[in-house]
Amino acid sequence: MKRQDLIRHVESHGCLLLREGARHTVYYNPANNQTSAIPRHREINEFLARKICRDLGIPEP
């Protein structure tokens, strides 16, 4: 999965950009107070994409 597609999915479910790190972008879900880091790779494997969505409490892509 492309990183941009995952970010679009996360933002469409109400998650907000919390901060930019050196190697990760951290997103925050205000609905349930959960955060998760998205690495800065062009491709993110499906297992990691699903874990990020579970961490944020949103449906899997």
Side-chain angles (χ1 to χ4, degrees), residues 16-54:
L16 306 172
L17 174 67
L18 185 62
R19 66 182 172 86
E20 294 279 347
R23 296 187 177 140
H24 292 83
T25 303
V26 180
Y27 274 85
Y28 166 72
N29 188 349
N32 55 17
N33 236 10
Q34 293 178 313
T35 61
S36 186
I38 299 176
R40 292 227 178 103
H41 301 239
R42 285 185 179 205
E43 291 289 325
I44 296 173
N45 73 34
E46 295 298 320
F47 295 108
L48 182 57
R50 279 188 254 151
K51 183 194 180 307
I52 290 168
C53 291
R54 277 194 306 263

